[in-house]
Amino acid sequence: MMSLRTAASAFSTLSTLSAFSALVGITSLAAPAHAAEAKQPASYSNPVLSGFHADPSICRVGGDYYLATSSFEYFPGVPIFHSKDLVHWRQIGHALTLASQLNLTHTRSSQGIYAPTLRCHDGVFYMVTTNMEGGGAFYVHTRDPAGEWSEPVWLNDPAFAMDPSLFFDDDGKVYYTRHGGGEHGGVYQAEIDLKAGKLLEQPRLVWSGTGGVWPEGPHLYKHDGQYYLLISEGGTSYNHSLTMARSPSPMGPYTAYAGNPVITHRGHPELPLQAIGHGDLVQTPEGKWWMPLLGIRPVEQKHHLGRETMLTPVAWNKDGWLTVNSGQPLALEMSGAGLPPAAPWPAQPVRDEFDAPRLALHWTQLRGPGDGLWSLSECAGHLRLKGSSVTMNDIAQPAFIARRQEHMRMRAATQLEFQPAAASEAAGLVLRQNEKNYYELRITGAPRRRLELVERVQGVTTLKGSAELPAGPVVLQVESWPDHYVFSFGSGSGPFKPVGSLPTAPLSSEAAGGFTGVFIGMYAEGAKPRQAMPAADFAWFDYQPVEK
C-alpha cells in the first residue's frame, strides 16, 4: 500500500462511489440503503463480520472500504467485502474464482489459502497470499474488486512464505513482507517489482518480534516519516497478541515498542472476546484511525463459529506509537465515535430459491468449482447435487455447497427431493467443521428410504436418530443455540418432527482442530465407483438469524 499519509489523501476528490466506479470501471456496487439519512452511530457491535471471516485485511479508496479474509480449503477463495462505514459489510465477490487461480486438489482442511493482504495503489487492487499446499506465495490484481481478478503471479520466494503483505512507499518502491523461519522465526522482507512479478532480492530477516511464538501476519506502514511493522505473536488462539516495531528505514533495523503488546486478551478468560490479533490499519477521510482484526466468541472456552472480524479504534500517541481502543479491551458493544456515517446495506433474504443463473456469493464448495457435481439449470428452480463416490470423510471434492454459520442463534432449513437407489447413497443437510467432525441430517436407504441424524466426531461416525419417511419432498431443519443444535424434519403440511439434539462443542476448533468454522449446507454422496446415483434436488435453502 501507499504510505499511510499518502493513502489518507488518495482519491480525495472521489467523494462518491460512482466517481470511483468511473475511474476503475466498477459497475456492480449499489449504494447502501438510506444513505441520505445516515448519521454517525452512537455505538456498533463486534464482530462486524460474524462467523468464519479470519485474518481481515483492508484498504480504502475515497469513502469506500474493501476487506479480504482467509478461505483455507474452501472455493472460491478469498471473499471480498465492501463497506461505506467500516461496520456494515457486504460481500461483492472473491479474488480467486477459477480453478486456474486456485489449486486445492487434495488440500487438507485448514490448509490452502492463508491470510491475504489487500492493497490498492493507483487504481489497481492487489491481493497477495499463500497457497500453503499448492505452490507458495502469489498475488492477483484487478481494477474492479467486484469482478474478475488476474491469473496468479507466482513469486520467486523459495522459503516458507506465510502471511505475505505489500507496501507501496512514497519513492515508488514496493516491499514484500512475510513471516518466515517457523514458529520462532520472524519477519522477512524484500523489495519487489510488481510489473515484472518478481522479488528483486531474497527476503531477509528484519525483525524477530518480541519472543512470542509465530511472529506472523506482518504489515508494513509509514507514519510521520517512520516505518512501522505490525505483527501477531503468541499463536492464533488464546495467547494471540499484536506487537509493533519501528525504524527510519523500511529494511530496518527495527526497535520494538516498550509498551508491547499493543493489544491482547490473554490472561483474561472473563472477557467475551478472545484470541484478539492479526490486525490491519485504515484511516478515514476525516483522519480517524481504525483497525479490523480477528477474534473469537468462545462458549465455555470453545468456539465453533470460527475466527471473526472485529473492529476497534486506534490512535497514535505522543511518542508515535499505536494505542488500541484507548488501552482498553475490545467489547461486544463499542463507541461509534470517529466512525463514518452509518450506511447499512439492504437485508439479505432468508430464502434462496435457486432461481438465479449463478450461485449467490455466500455459497462455497470444497477444493474446487465442482464441475459436474451440481447444476442450477437441470431442474429449474432447484439446486441439483449429483453425488459421487467421494464422501464428506474424504480429502477430495464431494458434492457439497454450503455457507458459513454466522450466528449463535439461527435456523437453517432446506427442502429436498431424493430417492436413493442403493443403501450407500445419501443426501441432505450437513454442518461441517472438517472431514473428521461434522453432523448430517440425511435421507438414505433403499429400497425403503429413511431419515438419519449422523454424528461424526474425531473420525468416529455414530447414528444418533432415525425416522421413517413418506414419499415426496422432505424439509430438513436445524436450529442452533450457543451450546447445541436441534434437528427436525417435515413433510406435506404436517408439523415438524424432532430427530435429536447435538452439542456445538465437538465442532469447535478446540475439539476438532483447525482454523475455520462451521459451514451449513447441502451435500450428496455414496455413488459406487464409475456409476451415477439419483440426483438430489434442493428446492430452496433458508438461513435465518434469530439473534440481532
Side-chain angles (χ1 to χ4, degrees):
M1 64 186 263
M2 297 169 277
S3 73
L4 294 180
R5 183 176 296 277
T6 305
S9 60
F11 302 103
S12 59
T13 60
L14 304 178
S15 59
T16 67
L17 180 59
S18 60
F20 173 61
S21 301
L23 175 67
V24 299
I26 297 176
T27 59
S28 55
L29 301 182
H34 311 301
E37 304 172 7
K39 296 180 179 179
Q40 186 183 80
S43 64
Y44 68 93
S45 298
N46 273 321
V48 292
L49 266 176
S50 56
F52 162 53
H53 294 104
D55 309 314
S57 181
I58 194 169
C59 65
R60 177 179 68 84
V61 180
D64 295 278
Y65 303 88
Y66 300 91
L67 186 138
T69 63
S70 298
S71 52
F72 295 90
E73 73 267 33
Y74 291 97
F75 188 99
V78 187
I80 304 295
F81 300 87
H82 172 227
S83 177
K84 300 286 288 186
D85 62 4
L86 290 169
V87 172
H88 300 94
W89 294 91
R90 182 185 63 155
Q91 189 173 353
I92 58 172
H94 292 85
L96 306 172
T97 60
L98 305 174
S100 58
Q101 296 170 316
L102 182 56
N103 177 17
L104 295 172
T105 304
H106 305 306
T107 295
R108 294 174 296 162
S109 290
S110 288
Q111 295 297 308
I113 298 299
Y114 273 29
T117 295
L118 182 66
R119 295 291 181 255
C120 183
H121 181 72
D122 286 347
V124 179
F125 290 82
Y126 298 86
M127 189 284 296
V128 60
T129 188
T130 304
N131 189 336
M132 298 295 288
E133 294 186 341
F138 68 94
Y139 66 89
V140 292
H141 55 84
T142 186
R143 287 185 173 271
D144 180 0
E148 295 297 323
W149 293 63
S150 72
E151 288 296 314
V153 179
W154 295 96
L155 295 174
N156 53 320
D157 186 351
F160 176 70
M162 191 174 76
D163 299 0
S165 184
L166 295 175
F167 169 74
F168 294 83
D169 207 349
D170 301 322
D171 60 4
K173 293 182 178 181
V174 185
Y175 295 92
Y176 162 85
T177 312
R178 62 159 171 83
H179 165 82
E183 64 177 319
H184 297 293
V187 178
Y188 286 71
Q189 194 161 273
E191 190 178 346
I192 184 173
D193 184 338
L194 288 177
K195 292 183 179 179
K198 65 178 182 179
L199 303 179
L200 298 179
E201 57 186 328
Q202 289 303 302
R204 61 182 186 267
L205 182 68
V206 293
W207 189 40
S208 296
T210 65
V213 298
W214 295 107
E216 60 190 3
H219 293 308
L220 180 64
Y221 311 95
K222 190 176 185 180
H223 178 67
D224 283 349
Q226 294 281 310
Y227 295 87
Y228 289 82
L229 282 171
L230 177 68
I231 74 170
S232 294
E233 293 189 71
T236 192
S237 187
Y238 291 89
N239 287 326
H240 212 192
S241 67
L242 280 169
T243 59
M244 291 194 80
R246 72 182 176 197
S247 171
S249 167
M251 297 303 293
Y254 279 86
T255 301
Y257 175 36
N260 278 325
V262 294
I263 183 69
T264 186
H265 283 192
R266 66 188 176 211
H268 293 279
E270 75 282 0
L271 296 175
L273 300 176
Q274 293 289 323
I276 296 295
H278 201 110
D280 200 1
L281 294 175
V282 69
Q283 189 179 21
T284 69
E286 294 74 27
K288 300 297 183 180
W289 291 91
W290 291 86
M291 178 192 291
L293 69 172
L294 71 78
I296 61 174
R297 290 180 289 164
V299 179
E300 297 181 354
Q301 293 300 298
K302 291 181 172 61
H303 72 287
H304 60 286
L305 296 191
R307 298 173 299 158
E308 306 175 292
T309 293
M310 311 293 172
L311 181 70
T312 183
V314 295
W316 299 94
N317 66 25
K318 61 181 179 61
D319 297 318
W321 294 102
L322 204 64
T323 299
V324 179
N325 196 33
S326 301
Q328 299 301 308
L330 270 63
L332 292 171
E333 292 295 322
M334 302 275 288
S335 170
L339 280 173
W345 301 105
Q348 293 296 312
V350 169
R351 178 162 294 184
D352 190 334
E353 300 274 8
F354 300 124
D355 53 1
R358 294 184 179 183
L359 286 172
L361 291 172
H362 58 257
W363 293 115
T364 188
Q365 300 180 67
L366 276 168
R367 304 184 178 91
D371 295 338
L373 296 176
W374 63 276
S375 173
L376 287 170
S377 61
E378 290 184 10
C379 182
H382 291 72
L383 171 64
R384 169 166 285 182
L385 293 186
K386 296 177 279 189
S388 71
S389 60
V390 177
T391 75
M392 296 300 297
N393 301 347
D394 299 322
I395 301 178
Q397 186 171 13
F400 165 88
I401 292 179
R403 55 162 296 152
R404 290 158 173 82
Q405 181 183 346
E406 298 179 348
H407 304 84
M408 296 285 187
R409 283 284 287 119
M410 65 88 211
R411 179 190 68 88
T414 186
Q415 181 176 295
L416 169 61
E417 190 158 0
F418 175 60
Q419 184 63 54
S424 62
E425 297 170 353
L429 189 68
V430 61
L431 284 69
R432 179 188 189 268
Q433 176 60 253
N434 52 39
E435 283 76 31
K436 294 184 176 181
N437 300 274
Y438 59 76
Y439 298 150
E440 293 174 343
L441 185 61
R442 67 189 191 185
I443 297 174
T444 189
R448 186 167 182 173
R449 66 179 191 165
R450 64 185 180 277
L451 184 77
E452 292 184 344
L453 175 60
V454 173
E455 170 195 81
R456 183 168 171 85
V457 174
Q458 299 297 320
V460 177
T461 303
T462 307
L463 179 64
K464 304 298 288 188
S466 64
E468 295 297 320
L469 289 177
V474 178
V475 176
L476 310 176
Q477 178 173 275
V478 59
E479 297 176 87
S480 76
W481 282 260
D483 62 346
H484 71 285
Y485 298 102
V486 173
F487 298 85
S488 58
F489 75 101
S491 59
S493 58
F496 276 79
K497 300 177 182 179
V499 186
S501 175
L502 295 172
T504 59
L507 302 188
S508 68
S509 293
E510 289 82 357
F515 304 124
T516 62
V518 171
F519 279 70
I520 299 179
M522 300 149 286
Y523 83 104
E525 67 180 27
K528 294 181 180 180
R530 296 177 296 278
Q531 291 187 16
M533 62 179 275
D537 291 326
F538 296 86
W540 47 262
F541 190 97
D542 287 355
Y543 182 90
Q544 183 176 21
V546 178
E547 63 183 6
K548 65 177 181 179

